[in-house]
Amino acid sequence: MSWNVIGHDWAVKQLQTAIVHSRIGHAYLITGPAQVGRTTLALALAQAVNCTDQYLNNRPCGVCRSCKLIASGRHPDIYLVAPQVSARGRSTLKIDQIRQLQKDLTLAAIEGRHKVAILRHFDTANPSAANAFLKTLEEPPPNVILILTASEADAMLPTINSRCRTFNLRPVSTQLIHQTLENKGTLSPDQAQQIAHLANGRIGWALQAAADPEIWQAHAAHLTQLQEILGQNRVGRFAIAEKLAKKPEQLHGRLQTWSTWWRDLTMLAWGDLPTEKLINIAHYDTLNRLVAAVPQEKLLESLKQTDQAVWQLNRNANVRLVLECLFLSYPKVK
Ligand SMILES: [Zn+2]
């Protein structure tokens, strides 16, 4: 058996039981934070339902032709549909994509027993796309399994939710991520620890960052820029807002990083945060210095404003204006 999923043991166990008893549903919704392993679990399920190993409890075996084709992204009956990203960095699952998938799913399977459609980030589907998909959920073609992923079940149409079996994946523990990175043996102990904390439960992010130093170096660069902003007066802050507003597609990652910074500070300011829970553990001393220098209400306010900015940008607000307001809300720190 080779589910190849790190963490989420309970979900694997339930799906495993369903495979053994041939009680596979026709629609699943896998929710949880980004990069926590939703698509990985979906692909493992796609492998399990198409695996040719003679023993049901050994599926997915990871070595049969079908398992290998799915692992390499070349199985003709597995459809992976992801939202399209606009120039502004906004992701949307569109009705054209749903219609194309619906056409594809009416054709008989070529290779496997089941056609499996994995619709990633279904919470980005616009209403017309979600409604079009509802028809497929209500009357799925035979031998088709639909798997949706999303951040939260609540963000979806109830009519979609109610037709799916839901698996809500929780963040993977820092300890398990740390151990996984150490077992890979490609990082120094310090790096493994830092990345495990930065991952904040996102095992997918940790594995990517372990393979590509640019990913976690970008995190460090975002923090450096935040320190620069905090040191500036109003004029300096507006100049940085203007510069950043020219590349809106890069803002999401930047704001997410800043949010982790304020979150660490807020939690430190409000009490004894076990270091296990700190995201920016590499900056432990700086964090403590700021906690001593900035009133705790101001730290909480900065966290709220940062998350608010993410929310506004996701709704097509004026980028420069959002950044200017955000930067004005940040404390001045020398
Ligand atoms: Zn197999």
Side-chain angles (χ1 to χ4, degrees):
M1 177 176 76
S2 167
W3 282 79
N4 214 9
V5 172
I6 297 166
H8 319 308
D9 294 354
W10 63 273
V12 167
K13 207 169 169 190
Q14 279 188 33
L15 290 171
Q16 173 78 11
T17 305
I19 295 281
V20 170
H21 297 283
S22 299
R23 283 201 315 254
I24 293 296
H26 80 265
Y28 290 88
L29 169 62
I30 304 175
T31 61
Q35 294 188 294
V36 82
R38 298 170 302 189
T39 303
T40 302
L41 182 64
L43 285 168
L45 176 58
Q47 283 182 319
V49 298
N50 279 313
C51 179
T52 55
D53 194 283
Q54 60 175 317
Y55 299 108
L56 286 177
N57 63 4
N58 199 38
R59 297 178 181 179
C61 69
V63 291
C64 71
R65 175 184 160 83
S66 176
C67 282
K68 282 185 170 169
L69 280 174
I70 294 174
S72 64
R74 292 184 294 117
H75 196 294
D77 300 314
I78 310 299
Y79 299 86
L80 202 56
V81 184
Q84 292 172 351
V85 182
S86 74
R88 283 176 58 104
R90 189 183 158 91
S91 303
T92 317
L93 205 58
K94 297 195 165 148
I95 191 162
D96 299 350
Q97 295 175 280
I98 300 293
R99 293 217 171 108
Q100 182 59 50
L101 178 69
Q102 286 170 327
K103 263 187 214 159
D104 292 338
L105 291 180
T106 56
L107 307 171
I110 299 167
E111 175 94 26
R113 286 186 301 275
H114 296 280
K115 289 193 147 206
V116 181
I118 301 171
L119 293 99
R120 303 185 64 197
H121 307 287
F122 198 83
D123 39 357
T124 67
N126 57 31
S128 55
N131 277 314
F133 187 70
L134 196 53
K135 289 199 190 82
T136 307
L137 264 183
E138 282 168 343
E139 290 170 45
N143 302 318
V144 164
I145 295 171
L146 306 164
I147 309 176
L148 317 183
T149 75
S151 304
E152 288 171 59
D154 291 351
M156 318 249 300
L157 289 176
T159 42
I160 299 240
N161 272 344
S162 62
R163 285 172 173 80
C164 299
R165 294 189 194 173
T166 301
F167 285 83
N168 181 21
L169 304 188
R170 311 291 305 157
V172 178
S173 77
T174 302
Q175 198 188 357
L176 179 56
I177 296 179
H178 193 173
Q179 196 186 325
T180 306
L181 294 178
E182 277 190 330
N183 291 347
K184 288 184 96 67
T186 53
L187 300 165
S188 74
D190 258 9
Q191 285 172 339
Q193 192 205 27
Q194 281 182 29
I195 293 177
H197 280 261
L198 287 177
N200 193 21
R202 300 165 300 159
I203 180 70
W205 185 90
L207 293 172
Q208 274 178 15
D212 180 0
E214 274 188 26
I215 293 178
W216 50 281
Q217 283 162 4
H219 183 95
H222 293 159
L223 288 183
T224 305
Q225 184 166 49
L226 177 59
Q227 307 312 315
E228 188 196 336
I229 293 164
L230 299 183
Q232 293 281 340
N233 60 17
R234 185 189 173 101
V235 176
R237 291 182 181 201
F238 278 18
I240 297 174
E242 187 183 357
K243 197 176 81 185
L244 292 181
K246 286 178 183 150
K247 291 188 175 164
E249 73 284 357
Q250 295 177 2
L251 275 176
H252 195 75
R254 211 176 288 271
L255 288 166
Q256 295 290 356
T257 301
W258 295 350
S259 178
T260 68
W261 183 257
W262 297 116
R263 169 235 180 240
D264 278 354
L265 285 168
T266 306
M267 291 180 74
L268 277 172
W270 252 269
D272 300 326
L273 177 70
T275 46
E276 153 83 13
K277 300 273 182 203
L278 270 187
I279 297 173
N280 298 288
I281 192 149
H283 302 274
Y284 189 66
D285 294 339
T286 312
L287 289 168
N288 276 306
R289 190 171 56 77
L290 282 173
V291 165
V294 181
Q296 59 183 34
E297 289 76 18
K298 194 70 190 165
L299 297 174
L300 179 61
E301 177 66 13
S302 299
L303 173 62
K304 283 184 181 163
Q305 293 290 339
T306 306
D307 292 344
Q308 165 89 350
V310 173
W311 189 89
Q312 288 170 324
L313 291 178
N314 282 339
R315 279 154 192 80
N316 280 333
N318 180 303
V319 179
R320 192 169 151 188
L321 206 61
V322 168
L323 289 178
E324 285 178 357
C325 288
L326 177 64
F327 292 174
L328 284 182
S329 75
Y330 282 169
K332 180 109 196 292
V333 181
K334 275 286 170 209

